[in-house]
Coordinates of all heavy atoms in Angstrom, one line a residue:
M1 N 27.5 -2.9 37.5 CA 28.9 -3.0 37.5 C 29.4 -2.9 36.0 O 28.8 -3.5 35.1 CB 29.4 -4.4 38.1 CG 30.8 -4.7 37.8 SD 31.3 -6.2 38.6 CE 31.3 -5.6 40.3
E2 N 30.5 -2.1 35.9 CA 31.1 -1.9 34.5 C 31.8 -3.2 34.1 O 32.6 -3.7 34.8 CB 32.1 -0.8 34.6 CG 32.6 -0.3 33.3 CD 31.5 0.6 32.5 OE1 30.6 1.1 33.2 OE2 31.6 0.6 31.3
Q3 N 31.5 -3.7 32.9 CA 32.1 -4.9 32.5 C 32.4 -4.9 31.0 O 31.6 -4.4 30.2 CB 31.3 -6.1 32.8 CG 32.1 -7.2 33.5 CD 31.3 -8.0 34.5 OE1 30.1 -7.8 34.6 NE2 31.9 -8.7 35.4
S4 N 33.5 -5.5 30.6 CA 33.9 -5.5 29.2 C 33.0 -6.5 28.5 O 32.6 -7.5 29.0 CB 35.3 -6.0 29.1 OG 35.6 -6.6 27.8
Q5 N 32.6 -6.2 27.2 CA 31.8 -7.0 26.4 C 32.5 -8.3 26.1 O 31.9 -9.3 25.8 CB 31.4 -6.3 25.1 CG 30.2 -5.5 25.2 CD 29.6 -5.3 23.9 OE1 30.3 -5.0 22.9 NE2 28.3 -5.5 23.8
N6 N 33.9 -8.3 26.2 CA 34.6 -9.5 25.8 C 34.8 -10.4 27.0 O 35.4 -11.5 26.9 CB 36.0 -9.1 25.3 CG 35.9 -8.3 24.0 OD1 35.0 -8.5 23.2 ND2 36.7 -7.3 23.9
D7 N 34.3 -10.0 28.2 CA 34.6 -10.7 29.4 C 33.6 -11.9 29.6 O 32.7 -11.9 30.4 CB 34.4 -9.8 30.6 CG 35.5 -9.9 31.6 OD1 36.4 -10.7 31.3 OD2 35.4 -9.3 32.7
F8 N 33.9 -12.9 28.8 CA 33.0 -14.1 28.9 C 33.9 -15.3 29.0 O 35.1 -15.3 28.7 CB 32.0 -14.2 27.7 CG 32.7 -14.3 26.4 CD1 33.2 -15.5 25.9 CD2 32.8 -13.2 25.6 CE1 33.8 -15.6 24.6 CE2 33.4 -13.2 24.3 CZ 33.9 -14.4 23.9
I9 N 33.3 -16.4 29.4 CA 34.1 -17.7 29.5 C 33.4 -18.7 28.6 O 32.2 -18.6 28.3 CB 34.2 -18.2 30.9 CG1 32.8 -18.7 31.5 CG2 34.8 -17.2 31.9 CD1 32.9 -19.5 32.7
V10 N 34.2 -19.7 28.1 CA 33.6 -20.8 27.4 C 33.9 -22.0 28.1 O 35.0 -22.3 28.5 CB 34.3 -20.8 25.9 CG1 33.7 -22.0 25.2 CG2 34.0 -19.5 25.2
V11 N 32.9 -22.8 28.3 CA 33.1 -24.2 28.9 C 32.6 -25.2 27.9 O 31.5 -25.2 27.4 CB 32.2 -24.3 30.2 CG1 32.5 -25.6 30.9 CG2 32.5 -23.1 31.2
K12 N 33.5 -26.1 27.6 CA 33.2 -27.3 26.7 C 33.2 -28.5 27.5 O 34.3 -28.9 28.1 CB 34.1 -27.3 25.5 CG 33.8 -28.5 24.7 CD 34.5 -28.6 23.3 CE 34.0 -29.8 22.6 NZ 34.5 -30.0 21.3
A13 N 32.1 -29.3 27.6 CA 32.0 -30.5 28.3 C 32.7 -31.6 27.6 O 32.5 -31.9 26.4 CB 30.6 -30.9 28.6
K14 N 33.6 -32.3 28.3 CA 34.3 -33.5 27.7 C 33.7 -34.8 28.1 O 34.1 -35.9 27.7 CB 35.8 -33.5 28.1 CG 36.6 -32.3 27.5 CD 37.9 -32.1 28.2 CE 38.9 -33.2 27.9 NZ 40.2 -32.8 28.5
E15 N 32.7 -34.7 28.9 CA 31.9 -35.9 29.3 C 30.4 -35.5 29.6 O 30.1 -34.3 29.6 CB 32.5 -36.5 30.6 CG 32.3 -35.7 31.8 CD 32.9 -36.4 33.1 OE1 33.2 -37.5 33.0 OE2 32.9 -35.7 34.1
Q16 N 29.6 -36.5 29.7 CA 28.2 -36.2 29.9 C 28.0 -35.7 31.3 O 28.6 -36.1 32.3 CB 27.4 -37.6 29.8 CG 25.9 -37.5 29.7 CD 25.5 -36.7 28.5 OE1 26.2 -36.7 27.5 NE2 24.3 -36.2 28.5
G17 N 27.1 -34.7 31.5 CA 26.7 -34.2 32.8 C 27.6 -33.3 33.5 O 27.6 -33.2 34.8
V18 N 28.4 -32.5 32.8 CA 29.3 -31.5 33.4 C 28.4 -30.4 34.0 O 27.4 -30.0 33.4 CB 30.3 -30.9 32.4 CG1 31.0 -29.7 33.0 CG2 31.3 -32.0 32.0
Q19 N 28.7 -30.0 35.2 CA 27.9 -29.0 35.9 C 28.7 -27.6 36.0 O 29.9 -27.6 36.3 CB 27.6 -29.4 37.3 CG 26.7 -30.6 37.4 CD 26.4 -31.1 38.8 OE1 26.7 -30.3 39.8 NE2 25.9 -32.3 39.0
V20 N 28.0 -26.6 35.6 CA 28.6 -25.2 35.7 C 27.7 -24.5 36.7 O 26.5 -24.3 36.5 CB 28.6 -24.5 34.3 CG1 29.2 -23.1 34.5 CG2 29.3 -25.3 33.3
I21 N 28.3 -24.1 37.8 CA 27.5 -23.6 38.9 C 27.8 -22.1 39.2 O 29.0 -21.8 39.3 CB 27.8 -24.4 40.2 CG1 27.5 -25.9 40.0 CG2 27.1 -23.8 41.4 CD1 28.2 -26.8 41.0
G22 N 26.8 -21.3 39.2 CA 27.0 -19.9 39.4 C 27.0 -19.5 40.9 O 26.1 -19.9 41.6
L23 N 28.0 -18.8 41.3 CA 28.1 -18.4 42.8 C 27.8 -16.9 42.9 O 28.2 -16.1 42.0 CB 29.5 -18.6 43.3 CG 29.9 -20.1 43.3 CD1 31.3 -20.2 43.7 CD2 29.0 -21.0 44.1
T24 N 27.0 -16.5 43.9 CA 26.5 -15.1 44.0 C 27.6 -14.2 44.3 O 28.6 -14.5 45.0 CB 25.5 -15.0 45.1 OG1 26.1 -15.6 46.3 CG2 24.2 -15.8 44.8
R25 N 27.5 -13.0 43.8 CA 28.4 -11.9 44.1 C 28.0 -11.2 45.5 O 26.8 -11.2 45.8 CB 28.3 -10.8 43.0 CG 29.3 -9.7 43.2 CD 29.3 -8.7 42.0 NE 29.6 -9.3 40.7 CZ 30.8 -9.6 40.3 NH1 31.8 -9.3 41.1 NH2 31.0 -10.1 39.1
G26 N 29.0 -10.8 46.2 CA 28.7 -10.1 47.5 C 29.2 -10.9 48.7 O 29.8 -12.0 48.5
Q27 N 28.8 -10.5 49.9 CA 29.2 -11.1 51.1 C 28.8 -12.6 51.2 O 29.6 -13.4 51.7 CB 28.6 -10.3 52.3 CG 29.2 -9.0 52.6 CD 29.8 -8.9 53.9 OE1 29.6 -9.8 54.8 NE2 30.6 -8.0 54.2
D28 N 27.7 -12.8 50.7 CA 27.1 -14.2 50.8 C 27.5 -15.0 49.5 O 27.2 -14.5 48.4 CB 25.6 -13.9 50.8 CG 24.8 -15.2 51.2 OD1 25.4 -16.1 51.8 OD2 23.6 -15.3 50.8
T29 N 28.2 -16.1 49.7 CA 28.6 -16.9 48.6 C 27.7 -18.1 48.6 O 27.9 -19.0 49.4 CB 30.1 -17.2 48.7 OG1 30.8 -16.1 48.8 CG2 30.5 -18.0 47.4
R30 N 26.8 -18.2 47.6 CA 26.0 -19.4 47.5 C 25.7 -19.7 46.1 O 25.9 -18.9 45.2 CB 24.7 -19.2 48.3 CG 23.9 -18.0 48.0 CD 22.8 -17.7 48.9 NE 22.3 -16.4 48.6 CZ 21.6 -16.1 47.5 NH1 21.3 -17.1 46.6 NH2 21.2 -14.9 47.2
F31 N 25.3 -20.9 45.8 CA 24.9 -21.4 44.5 C 23.6 -20.7 44.1 O 22.7 -20.6 44.9 CB 24.6 -22.9 44.4 CG 25.8 -23.7 44.6 CD1 27.1 -23.2 45.0 CD2 25.7 -25.1 44.5 CE1 28.2 -24.0 45.2 CE2 26.8 -25.9 44.7 CZ 28.0 -25.4 45.0
H32 N 23.5 -20.1 42.9 CA 22.2 -19.6 42.5 C 21.7 -20.1 41.2 O 20.6 -19.9 40.7 CB 22.2 -18.0 42.4 CG 23.1 -17.5 41.3 ND1 22.6 -17.3 40.0 CD2 24.3 -17.0 41.3 CE1 23.6 -16.8 39.3 NE2 24.6 -16.7 40.0
H33 N 22.6 -20.8 40.5 CA 22.2 -21.4 39.2 C 23.1 -22.6 38.9 O 24.3 -22.6 39.2 CB 22.4 -20.4 38.1 CG 21.9 -20.9 36.8 ND1 20.5 -21.0 36.4 CD2 22.5 -21.5 35.7 CE1 20.4 -21.5 35.2 NE2 21.6 -21.9 34.8
M34 N 22.6 -23.6 38.3 CA 23.4 -24.8 37.9 C 22.9 -25.2 36.5 O 21.8 -25.3 36.2 CB 23.1 -26.0 38.8 CG 24.3 -26.9 38.8 SD 24.0 -28.3 37.7 CE 22.7 -29.2 38.6
E35 N 23.9 -25.3 35.6 CA 23.7 -25.6 34.2 C 24.4 -27.0 34.0 O 25.5 -27.2 34.3 CB 24.4 -24.5 33.4 CG 23.9 -24.3 32.0 CD 22.4 -24.0 31.8 OE1 21.9 -23.1 32.5 OE2 21.8 -24.6 31.0
K36 N 23.6 -27.9 33.4 CA 24.2 -29.2 33.1 C 24.5 -29.3 31.6 O 23.6 -29.0 30.8 CB 23.2 -30.3 33.5 CG 23.5 -30.9 34.9 CD 22.9 -32.3 35.1 CE 23.3 -32.8 36.4 NZ 22.3 -33.8 37.0
L37 N 25.7 -29.7 31.3 CA 26.1 -29.8 29.9 C 26.2 -31.3 29.4 O 26.7 -32.1 30.2 CB 27.4 -29.1 29.6 CG 27.5 -27.7 30.0 CD1 28.9 -27.2 29.7 CD2 26.5 -26.8 29.4
D38 N 25.7 -31.6 28.3 CA 25.9 -32.9 27.6 C 27.3 -32.9 27.1 O 28.0 -31.9 26.9 CB 24.9 -33.1 26.5 CG 23.5 -33.2 26.9 OD1 23.3 -33.5 28.1 OD2 22.6 -32.8 26.1
K39 N 27.8 -34.1 26.8 CA 29.2 -34.3 26.2 C 29.3 -33.4 25.0 O 28.4 -33.5 24.1 CB 29.5 -35.7 25.9 CG 30.9 -36.0 25.5 CD 31.3 -37.4 25.4 CE 32.7 -37.5 25.0 NZ 33.2 -38.9 24.9
N40 N 30.4 -32.7 24.9 CA 30.7 -31.8 23.7 C 29.8 -30.6 23.6 O 29.9 -29.8 22.7 CB 30.7 -32.6 22.4 CG 31.8 -33.5 22.3 OD1 32.9 -33.3 22.8 ND2 31.6 -34.7 21.7
E41 N 28.9 -30.4 24.6 CA 28.1 -29.2 24.6 C 28.9 -28.0 25.1 O 29.8 -28.2 25.9 CB 26.9 -29.4 25.5 CG 25.7 -28.5 25.1 CD 24.4 -29.0 25.8 OE1 24.5 -29.6 26.9 OE2 23.3 -28.7 25.3
V42 N 28.7 -26.8 24.5 CA 29.5 -25.6 24.9 C 28.6 -24.6 25.5 O 27.5 -24.3 25.0 CB 30.1 -25.1 23.6 CG1 30.8 -23.8 23.8 CG2 31.1 -26.1 23.0
L43 N 29.0 -24.0 26.6 CA 28.3 -22.9 27.2 C 29.2 -21.7 27.1 O 30.4 -21.7 27.5 CB 28.1 -23.2 28.7 CG 27.3 -22.1 29.5 CD1 25.9 -22.1 29.1 CD2 27.4 -22.4 31.0
V44 N 28.6 -20.6 26.7 CA 29.3 -19.3 26.6 C 28.6 -18.4 27.6 O 27.4 -18.2 27.6 CB 29.2 -18.6 25.2 CG1 30.0 -17.3 25.2 CG2 29.8 -19.6 24.2
A45 N 29.4 -17.9 28.6 CA 28.7 -17.1 29.7 C 29.5 -15.9 30.2 O 30.8 -15.9 30.0 CB 28.5 -18.1 30.9
Q46 N 28.9 -15.0 30.8 CA 29.5 -13.8 31.3 C 29.3 -13.7 32.8 O 28.2 -14.1 33.3 CB 28.9 -12.5 30.6 CG 29.4 -12.4 29.2 CD 28.7 -11.2 28.5 OE1 27.4 -11.2 28.5 NE2 29.4 -10.3 28.0
F47 N 30.2 -13.0 33.5 CA 30.0 -12.7 34.9 C 29.1 -11.5 34.9 O 29.2 -10.6 34.0 CB 31.4 -12.4 35.6 CG 32.2 -13.7 35.7 CD1 33.1 -14.1 34.7 CD2 32.0 -14.6 36.7 CE1 33.8 -15.2 34.8 CE2 32.7 -15.8 36.8 CZ 33.6 -16.1 35.9
T48 N 28.3 -11.4 35.9 CA 27.3 -10.4 36.0 C 27.2 -9.8 37.4 O 28.0 -10.2 38.3 CB 25.9 -11.0 35.7 OG1 25.5 -11.9 36.8 CG2 25.8 -11.7 34.4
D49 N 26.3 -8.9 37.6 CA 26.1 -8.3 39.0 C 25.7 -9.5 40.0 O 25.9 -9.4 41.2 CB 24.9 -7.3 39.0 CG 25.4 -6.0 38.3 OD1 26.6 -5.9 38.0 OD2 24.5 -5.1 38.1
H50 N 25.1 -10.5 39.5 CA 24.6 -11.6 40.3 C 25.7 -12.7 40.5 O 25.6 -13.5 41.5 CB 23.3 -12.2 39.8 CG 22.2 -11.3 40.0 ND1 21.5 -10.7 38.9 CD2 21.6 -10.8 41.1 CE1 20.6 -9.9 39.3 NE2 20.6 -9.9 40.6
T51 N 26.5 -12.8 39.5 CA 27.5 -14.0 39.5 C 28.9 -13.5 39.5 O 29.3 -12.8 38.6 CB 27.3 -14.8 38.2 OG1 25.9 -15.2 38.1 CG2 28.1 -16.1 38.2
S52 N 29.7 -13.8 40.6 CA 31.1 -13.4 40.6 C 32.0 -14.5 40.5 O 33.2 -14.3 40.3 CB 31.4 -12.6 41.9 OG 31.3 -13.5 43.0
A53 N 31.5 -15.8 40.6 CA 32.4 -16.9 40.5 C 31.6 -18.1 39.9 O 30.4 -18.1 40.0 CB 33.0 -17.3 41.8
V54 N 32.4 -19.0 39.3 CA 31.7 -20.2 38.7 C 32.5 -21.4 39.1 O 33.8 -21.4 39.2 CB 31.7 -20.0 37.1 CG1 31.4 -21.4 36.5 CG2 30.8 -19.0 36.7
K55 N 31.8 -22.4 39.5 CA 32.4 -23.7 39.9 C 32.1 -24.7 38.8 O 30.9 -24.8 38.4 CB 31.9 -24.1 41.2 CG 32.4 -25.4 41.8 CD 32.0 -25.5 43.2 CE 32.2 -26.9 43.8 NZ 32.1 -26.8 45.3
I56 N 33.0 -25.5 38.4 CA 32.8 -26.5 37.3 C 33.1 -27.9 37.8 O 34.2 -28.1 38.4 CB 33.6 -26.1 36.1 CG1 33.1 -24.8 35.5 CG2 33.5 -27.2 35.0 CD1 34.1 -24.1 34.6
R57 N 32.1 -28.8 37.7 CA 32.3 -30.1 38.1 C 32.3 -31.0 36.9 O 31.3 -31.0 36.1 CB 31.1 -30.6 39.0 CG 31.2 -30.0 40.4 CD 30.0 -30.5 41.3 NE 30.1 -30.0 42.6 CZ 29.0 -29.8 43.4 NH1 27.8 -30.1 42.9 NH2 29.2 -29.3 44.6
G58 N 33.3 -31.9 36.8 CA 33.4 -32.8 35.7 C 34.5 -32.5 34.7 O 35.1 -31.5 34.9
K59 N 34.6 -33.3 33.7 CA 35.7 -33.1 32.8 C 35.3 -32.1 31.7 O 34.3 -32.3 31.0 CB 36.0 -34.4 32.1 CG 36.7 -35.4 33.0 CD 37.1 -36.7 32.2 CE 37.6 -37.7 33.2 NZ 38.0 -39.0 32.5
A60 N 36.0 -31.0 31.7 CA 35.7 -29.9 30.8 C 36.9 -29.1 30.4 O 37.9 -29.2 31.1 CB 34.7 -29.0 31.5
I61 N 36.7 -28.4 29.3 CA 37.7 -27.4 28.9 C 37.2 -26.0 29.2 O 36.0 -25.7 28.8 CB 38.1 -27.5 27.4 CG1 38.4 -28.9 27.0 CG2 39.2 -26.6 27.0 CD1 38.5 -29.1 25.5
V62 N 37.9 -25.2 29.9 CA 37.5 -23.9 30.3 C 38.4 -22.8 29.6 O 39.6 -22.9 29.8 CB 37.5 -23.7 31.8 CG1 36.9 -22.3 32.2 CG2 36.8 -24.8 32.6
M63 N 37.8 -22.0 28.8 CA 38.5 -21.0 28.1 C 38.2 -19.6 28.5 O 37.0 -19.2 28.5 CB 38.2 -21.1 26.6 CG 39.0 -22.3 25.9 SD 38.2 -22.9 24.4 CE 37.1 -24.1 25.1
T64 N 39.2 -18.8 28.9 CA 39.0 -17.4 29.3 C 40.1 -16.6 28.7 O 41.0 -17.2 28.0 CB 39.0 -17.2 30.8 OG1 40.4 -17.3 31.2 CG2 38.2 -18.2 31.6
K65 N 40.0 -15.3 28.9 CA 41.1 -14.5 28.3 C 42.4 -14.8 29.0 O 43.5 -14.4 28.5 CB 40.7 -13.0 28.4 CG 40.6 -12.5 29.8 CD 40.3 -11.0 29.8 CE 40.1 -10.5 31.2 NZ 39.6 -9.1 31.2
H66 N 42.4 -15.5 30.1 CA 43.6 -15.8 30.8 C 44.2 -17.1 30.3 O 45.4 -17.4 30.7 CB 43.3 -15.9 32.3 CG 42.7 -14.7 32.9 ND1 43.4 -13.5 33.1 CD2 41.5 -14.5 33.3 CE1 42.6 -12.6 33.6 NE2 41.4 -13.2 33.7
G67 N 43.5 -17.8 29.5 CA 44.1 -19.1 29.0 C 43.0 -20.2 29.0 O 41.9 -20.0 29.2
V68 N 43.6 -21.4 28.8 CA 42.7 -22.6 28.6 C 43.1 -23.6 29.8 O 44.3 -23.8 30.0 CB 43.0 -23.3 27.3 CG1 42.1 -24.5 27.2 CG2 42.6 -22.3 26.1
V69 N 42.1 -24.1 30.4 CA 42.3 -25.0 31.5 C 41.5 -26.3 31.3 O 40.3 -26.2 30.9 CB 41.9 -24.4 32.9 CG1 42.0 -25.4 34.0 CG2 42.7 -23.2 33.2
H70 N 42.1 -27.4 31.4 CA 41.4 -28.7 31.4 C 41.2 -29.1 32.8 O 42.2 -29.2 33.6 CB 42.2 -29.7 30.6 CG 42.4 -29.4 29.1 ND1 41.8 -30.2 28.2 CD2 43.0 -28.4 28.5 CE1 42.1 -29.7 27.0 NE2 42.9 -28.6 27.2
T71 N 40.0 -29.4 33.2 CA 39.7 -29.7 34.6 C 40.3 -31.1 35.0 O 40.4 -31.4 36.2 CB 38.2 -29.7 34.9 OG1 37.6 -30.7 34.1 CG2 37.6 -28.4 34.6
D72 N 40.6 -31.9 34.0 CA 41.1 -33.3 34.3 C 42.6 -33.5 34.2 O 43.0 -34.6 34.2 CB 40.3 -34.3 33.5 CG 40.5 -34.0 32.0 OD1 40.8 -32.9 31.6 OD2 40.2 -35.0 31.2
T73 N 43.3 -32.4 34.1 CA 44.8 -32.6 34.1 C 45.4 -31.8 35.2 O 44.8 -30.9 35.8 CB 45.4 -32.2 32.7 OG1 45.2 -30.8 32.5 CG2 44.8 -33.0 31.6
D74 N 46.7 -32.0 35.4 CA 47.4 -31.3 36.5 C 47.9 -29.9 36.1 O 48.3 -29.1 36.9 CB 48.6 -32.1 37.0 CG 48.1 -33.3 37.7 OD1 47.0 -33.3 38.2 OD2 48.9 -34.3 37.8
E75 N 47.9 -29.6 34.8 CA 48.5 -28.3 34.3 C 47.5 -27.1 34.6 O 46.3 -27.3 34.6 CB 48.7 -28.3 32.8 CG 49.9 -29.2 32.4 CD 49.3 -30.6 31.9 OE1 48.7 -30.6 30.9 OE2 49.6 -31.5 32.6
Ligands
LIG101 N1 30.4 -13.9 47.0 C1 31.9 -13.9 46.7 C2 32.2 -12.5 46.2 O1 31.5 -11.9 45.5 C3 32.2 -14.9 45.7 C4 33.6 -15.0 45.4 C5 34.3 -14.4 44.4 C6 34.6 -15.8 46.1 N2 35.6 -14.7 44.4 C7 35.8 -15.6 45.4 C8 34.5 -16.7 47.2 C9 37.0 -16.2 45.8 C10 35.7 -17.3 47.5 C11 36.9 -17.1 46.9 O2 33.3 -12.0 46.5

């Protein structure tokens, strides 16, 4: 799949044990990877042929080219 080099996300954990879960691309949507972040740990990741969506559990800041989202607020 053609993808921009800039197409990555940044996840910063605001608490201990934030989970970043990779969901498979294609008809079948299942978890294929789980990354656990310590408080203030930062993950920089890209979507790939295997990963089309990411689910984040816990308090975190998610930064993409679309903007910044805090998982623990209503905005
Ligand atoms: N396996 C699905 C797909 O590649 C994963 C997915 C992507 C998805 N976007 C979604 C599942 C939106 C539910 C809603 O399309």
